[in-house]
């Protein structure tokens, strides 16, 4: 089994198309197919289900893909560790970011990184907190702008800011013209809440808050993301709590209102793997921490 075979297999597993994988790896498609078939022969089982219409991973292929990701990430990490020990400069930084950070602090961070390391290559990957944490653990990402997590194992997290959530109310809703809205006003409304496949930090936060304010029974609609939530609000189907950045959305069909007695704020910060020599550099972490200091001054 050769290292390049693992790389070729990983490309096919991610593209689920031999032609696109071949183009990505800059190799002729027949040669790529031969490498994959050779790998399957050595393993003694098929890794893909091939048809004229699509390519799918078999159960064995899914298992092998997970291991390939770890193996190739370990090799990359070993290479970076060796370069760091030899005093080499940072060549690439891979950053995962949830959407609020992409709109907020990430541009400032990137500008500072670019000034500090003008020759570094930067790759940005969008995702949710869980996906980004897995990327940090497997070495696919160096840094992650995510919701708060605990320092477990090699994972480290620094809080940088808090994002405020306000009540999103459609223009046709009577609450939109109110100067003051109380918690009791919400008890007559249908509430739109987050309900993702994997329980997210934001979803847990609002589940707890709705229970605390005895609003759980008012939840009538659920959605996966903020865009869906404000769309439902704009359609007049209910109200929901949306982050402050939604004020910048074009053609808004809703208003953001403060609710007396409620202050919903969700943390945002940066995470990294302490074993990662790129993210573990003191100057990288200091640049991230400076975002929090700048936020406190503003």
């Amino acid at each position: 089994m050769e290292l390049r075979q693992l790389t070729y297999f990983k490309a096919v597993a991610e593209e689920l198309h031999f032609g696109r994988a071949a183009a990505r790896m800059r190799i002729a498609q027949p040669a790529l197919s031969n490498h994959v078939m050779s790998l399957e022969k050595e393993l003694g089982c098929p890794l893909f289900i091939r048809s004229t219409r699509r390519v799918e991973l078999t159960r064995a292929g899914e298992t092998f893909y997970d291991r390939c990701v770890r193996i190739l990430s370990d090799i990359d990490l070993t290479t970076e560790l060796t370069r760091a020990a030899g005093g080499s400069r940072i060549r690439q930084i891979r950053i995962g970011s949830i959407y609020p950070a992409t709109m907020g602090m990430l541009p400032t961070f990137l500008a500072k990184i670019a000034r500090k390391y003008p020759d570094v290559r930067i790759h940005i990957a969008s995702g949710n907190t869980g996906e980004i944490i897995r990327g940090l653990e497997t070495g696919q990402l160096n840094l992650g702008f995510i919701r708060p997590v605990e320092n477990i194992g090699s994972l480290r997290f620094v809080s940088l800011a808090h994002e405020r959530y306000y009540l999103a109310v459609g223009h046709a809703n009577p609450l939109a013209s109110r100067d003051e809205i109380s918690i009791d006003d919400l008890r007559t409304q249908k509430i739109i809440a987050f309900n993702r496949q994997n329980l997210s930090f934001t979803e847990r936060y609002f589940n707890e808050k709705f229970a605390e304010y005895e609003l759980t029974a008012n939840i009538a609609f659920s959605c996966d993301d903020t865009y869906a939530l404000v769309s439902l609000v704009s359609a007049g189907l209910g109200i929901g709590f949306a982050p402050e950045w939604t004020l910048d959305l074009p053609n808004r069909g809703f208003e953001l209102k403060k609710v007396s007695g409620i202050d919903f704020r969700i943390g945002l910060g940066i995470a990294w793997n302490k074993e990662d020599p790129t993210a573990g550099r003191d100057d990288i972490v200091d640049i991230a921490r400076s975002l929090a200091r700048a936020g406190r001054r503003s």
Side-chain angles (χ1 to χ4, degrees), residues 22 29 56 61 116 130 142 154 169 179 189 219 229 235 248 269 284:
Q29 183 175 333
E56 296 179 81
K116 178 76 173 181
N142 303 118
S154 60
V169 181
D179 293 328
Q189 299 284 323
I219 298 175
L229 186 144
D248 297 326
I284 297 292

Side-chain angles (χ1 to χ4, degrees), residues 8-200:
Y8 293 152
F9 164 78
K10 179 174 176 288
V12 178
E14 291 173 349
E15 297 291 343
L16 292 179
H17 190 282
F18 278 84
R20 289 196 297 268
R24 169 174 157 182
M25 300 308 298
R26 298 181 180 179
I27 183 176
Q29 183 175 333
L32 177 66
S33 298
N34 288 336
H35 278 293
V36 173
M37 286 189 290
S38 176
L39 190 58
E40 290 176 317
K41 184 177 180 180
E42 183 174 350
L43 291 170
C45 60
L47 299 173
F48 295 101
I49 301 172
R50 301 163 174 86
S51 72
T52 56
R53 300 182 63 182
R54 61 180 179 176
V55 176
E56 296 179 81
L57 282 167
T58 62
R59 186 173 179 181
E62 291 175 353
T63 299
F64 193 66
Y65 172 74
D66 289 339
R67 296 306 306 169
C68 271
V69 170
R70 292 182 178 273
I71 290 168
L72 294 173
S73 295
D74 283 344
I75 291 172
D76 288 341
L77 183 57
T78 299
T79 301
E80 292 301 323
L81 281 168
T82 303
R83 287 188 178 127
S88 297
R89 294 173 59 84
I90 295 175
R91 299 196 308 173
Q92 177 174 280
I93 299 176
R94 295 158 296 184
I95 302 170
S97 178
I98 62 175
Y99 188 78
T102 305
M103 294 292 291
M105 61 181 63
L106 181 59
T108 303
F109 178 76
L110 294 178
K112 292 188 175 186
I113 287 292
R115 286 196 295 270
K116 178 76 173 181
Y117 302 105
D119 299 324
V120 74
R121 290 179 297 168
I122 298 174
H123 175 73
I124 308 297
S126 299
N128 59 43
T129 293
E131 292 167 343
I132 293 170
I133 289 174
R134 287 191 290 274
L136 296 172
E137 291 174 340
T138 59
Q140 293 180 296
L141 296 173
N142 303 118
L143 301 168
F145 285 88
I146 61 173
R147 296 302 186 190
V149 294
E150 295 181 3
N151 292 334
I152 300 176
S154 60
L155 187 67
R156 294 293 177 266
F157 176 83
V158 171
S159 180
L160 300 178
H162 285 85
E163 183 181 28
R164 289 185 180 274
Y165 277 68
Y166 295 98
L167 185 69
V169 181
H171 291 324
N173 191 307
L175 295 180
S177 60
R178 296 272 297 275
D179 293 328
E180 291 189 8
I181 299 175
S182 68
I183 296 173
D184 286 336
D185 291 325
L186 306 187
R187 305 192 197 283
T188 62
Q189 299 284 323
K190 292 181 178 180
I191 293 178
I192 303 163
F194 294 115
N195 184 16
R196 299 180 172 96
Q197 184 176 2
N198 297 315
L199 195 63
S200 67

